[in-house]
Amino acid sequence: MRQRIKNGTYPPRSRVPSVVKLQEEFGIATATSQKVFNALRAEGLIYTEPGLGSFVSKELPTAEPDTR
């Protein structure tokens, strides 16, 4: 999901698949799909509108510079 957001498969302001669709597509448990959504929200990549679904953020966070 993260890669799809970053590569533009899901452009800003577009709806992302639901938790159930994520479970079906990747064959994962409900708890796992919830963790995915929680992580994406914490990273600022998606936001959720109650009753409407989850959407890609308008402005994606920029990558931190590589300091290696």
Side-chain angles (χ1 to χ4, degrees):
M1 291 284 293
R2 182 181 297 111
Q3 186 62 37
R4 290 179 183 182
I5 291 169
K6 290 185 176 186
N7 73 16
T9 300
Y10 303 129
R13 298 185 179 152
S14 67
R15 184 182 297 192
V16 295
S18 67
V19 169
V20 173
K21 294 286 184 190
L22 190 67
Q23 288 173 249
E24 292 171 357
E25 182 175 349
F26 294 101
I28 58 177
T30 302
T32 303
S33 57
Q34 279 294 352
K35 286 180 184 180
V36 168
F37 274 72
N38 290 339
L40 294 173
R41 269 189 229 105
E43 292 174 32
L45 294 175
I46 66 170
Y47 64 96
T48 300
E49 291 288 336
L52 296 176
S54 296
F55 300 84
V56 178
S57 297
K58 292 178 249 179
E59 295 180 24
L60 299 179
T62 57
E64 294 181 21
D66 188 358
T67 57
R68 286 186 263 167

